[in-house]
Amino acid sequence: MSFFKFFRMVNLAQFIGFFIITTVAFVASAGGEQVVTYVFGDSLTEVGNNNYLQSLAKSNYPFYGIDYEGGKATGRFTNGRTIGDIISQKLGIESPPPYLSLVPNDDAILKGVNYASGGAGILNDTGLYFIQRMTFDDQINSFEKTKEAIKAKIGQEAAEKHVNEAVYFIGMGSNDYVNNFLQPFLAAGQQYTHDEFVELLASTLGEQFTRLHQLGARKIVFHGLGPLGCIPSQRVKSTRGICLKQVNLWVQQFNSKVKKLVDNLNKHLPYAQMTFADTYPLVLDLIDNPKAYGFKISNTSCCNVDTSVGGLCLPNSKLCTNRTEYVFWDAFHPTDAANAVLADQIFATLFHQPASSPAPAPAQTRARKFISRKHRN
């Protein structure tokens, strides 16, 4: 199956289009003015916050970052870049820095901040055994402090406009399953049926979205969960090393519930422009058909840590010989190569220009043309 046929099949614009299109709209309308994004999430989007915490969920050591600029670990849970890093590069902006790396009145807060923290979840109990991590509630509290600092810098009216126009990219929920509900020694799996648990997640998430809206967030993209039953840490629980069907069914139930939540909040919160980005079909196809995307192995990790406690790529891990052939870096996270394929095709499809085309126009130029066509339609 070709990339473009596949993306048309899953409606790419719904996948992450709101984030990109909104971002590009501001680039076009502001004549190249800096796009502002605030990122909330877990280890899939973290860029180094846990480096500043007493946390067991860290990736600031080899072999993480081996394929990142400079070859050093930064706190990203992959061997190189996240999808967000790559899309930011294509749009001509820098990835927002980790919140904990900034002083409270840092000028960088006006250009965007990344609050994501490995081990974080929707529920405050999620990831407790990592000791310190910034839960989604913690991240929202941190954003509130950021807004107060912005007010002090540019005044209340300008600050309100600033936060209203920013884009909020949120990826949360994986740990609520992998490091909570699916762990037999934790209370959630014992205390709740899945129907009860997903209701708890959705109601908590609704309160968190509402609080962000009260703080001025209007353009929110929530990145739905991928097929968690197919990541190496879950496959190893199967005697045949296959995807765990029940886990994937639960994930789809969660995604469906959150999509309905987002639709409902859009109807009831003034000026809300929230989008649910359904990544499940895309990631599943990449895992089921790796060769179609240029990979060889999608059922185990490059670091060969599927059965290790924690599943992270420790300095004593035995790396695969060709990192570009693997979809997964460790037991939970994609490789730089997988992130690059996803980000490149997302961007190329949105702007109708294959990544392999000769002498491509600058990203922001194509963006303006794209938005112009949208307005004419």
Side-chain angles (χ1 to χ4, degrees):
M1 179 186 301
S2 72
F3 279 113
F4 296 111
K5 288 182 180 178
F6 176 74
F7 279 115
R8 284 196 293 267
M9 178 183 73
V10 299
N11 188 3
L12 177 62
Q14 185 178 5
F15 164 47
I16 203 170
F18 179 82
F19 171 64
I20 301 298
I21 292 171
T22 305
T23 297
V24 170
F26 281 112
V27 171
S29 63
E33 182 180 333
Q34 176 72 53
V35 174
V36 178
T37 60
Y38 293 100
V39 181
F40 302 78
D42 50 33
S43 55
L44 290 170
T45 48
E46 186 186 342
V47 294
N49 278 310
N50 283 14
N51 295 351
Y52 301 88
L53 301 175
Q54 297 299 315
S55 177
L56 296 179
K58 286 189 176 182
S59 59
N60 59 343
Y61 50 81
F63 292 104
Y64 289 97
I66 190 172
D67 296 309
Y68 193 75
E69 183 179 354
K72 295 182 179 180
T74 61
R76 290 165 170 81
F77 285 77
T78 181
N79 57 311
R81 304 158 296 170
T82 67
I83 291 177
D85 289 330
I86 299 165
I87 291 178
S88 292
Q89 291 170 359
K90 289 178 175 295
L91 286 174
I93 63 175
E94 294 184 5
S95 291
Y99 171 75
L100 294 178
S101 72
L102 305 172
V103 296
N105 63 343
D106 200 310
D107 287 342
I109 63 175
L110 296 172
K111 298 181 180 180
V113 179
N114 186 312
Y115 303 93
S117 173
I122 296 167
L123 304 180
N124 290 328
D125 288 342
T126 291
L128 274 175
Y129 51 68
F130 294 127
I131 307 177
Q132 285 191 318
R133 73 273 180 249
M134 295 170 64
T135 67
F136 194 15
D137 280 337
D138 292 333
Q139 294 176 36
I140 296 172
N141 290 340
S142 297
F143 172 70
E144 184 173 18
K145 294 176 182 178
T146 298
K147 182 180 177 182
E148 290 302 313
I150 293 173
K151 282 183 183 179
K153 281 183 173 294
I154 63 176
Q156 182 167 349
E157 184 177 348
E160 291 295 338
K161 182 176 185 292
H162 176 90
V163 297
N164 286 169
E165 292 183 349
V167 180
Y168 300 80
F169 186 54
I170 303 171
M172 195 73 74
S174 294
N175 285 312
D176 294 288
Y177 282 93
V178 175
N179 289 306
N180 193 340
F181 187 74
L182 297 176
Q183 293 291 356
F185 54 85
L186 294 178
Q190 307 290 331
Q191 184 177 357
Y192 303 105
T193 66
H194 183 260
D195 285 347
E196 293 169 338
F197 186 68
V198 77
E199 287 290 343
L200 175 63
L201 291 179
S203 63
T204 305
L205 197 56
E207 294 171 359
Q208 292 162 333
F209 284 157
T210 300
R211 187 173 171 215
L212 274 174
H213 182 272
Q214 291 169 344
L215 290 171
R218 297 293 180 264
K219 301 172 177 62
I220 296 176
V221 181
F222 185 83
H223 188 141
L225 299 185
L228 296 178
C230 295
I231 66 176
S233 73
Q234 298 303 304
R235 279 181 182 265
V236 75
K237 299 177 182 179
S238 165
T239 56
R240 294 184 293 157
I242 61 175
C243 296
L244 301 186
K245 182 178 180 181
Q246 184 59 68
V247 173
N248 284 346
L249 289 174
W250 284 338
V251 166
Q252 291 177 79
Q253 185 179 348
F254 169 84
N255 284 344
S256 177
K257 183 75 68 173
V258 176
K259 185 179 185 305
K260 291 178 182 177
L261 169 68
V262 166
D263 290 342
N264 185 56
L265 291 176
N266 277 332
K267 294 176 182 177
H268 293 94
L269 295 179
Y271 308 107
Q273 298 178 42
M274 299 175 60
T275 294
F276 176 79
D278 187 7
T279 63
Y280 186 100
L282 169 60
V283 179
L284 182 62
D285 195 65
L286 177 60
I287 293 171
D288 284 346
N289 304 291
K291 292 182 180 179
Y293 297 85
F295 296 91
K296 291 184 178 180
I297 301 169
S298 63
N299 63 342
T300 189
S301 64
C302 171
C303 291
N304 193 29
V305 291
D306 304 357
T307 59
S308 300
V309 175
L312 296 181
C313 192
L314 301 175
N316 63 351
S317 299
K318 186 177 180 180
L319 295 185
C320 59
T321 56
N322 191 342
R323 297 185 287 276
T324 62
E325 295 179 350
Y326 282 71
V327 170
F328 288 99
W329 168 244
D330 58 22
F332 307 98
H333 309 101
T335 59
D336 176 272
N339 285 336
V341 167
L342 298 177
D344 190 53
Q345 296 304 322
I346 290 166
F347 194 88
T349 303
L350 279 173
F351 300 117
H352 310 294
Q353 181 162 349
S356 59
S357 294
Q364 292 181 337
T365 300
R366 298 201 306 273
R368 292 189 183 95
K369 292 179 179 178
F370 177 75
I371 292 298
S372 177
R373 288 197 298 269
K374 287 290 183 183
H375 287 323
R376 287 199 299 269
N377 293 336

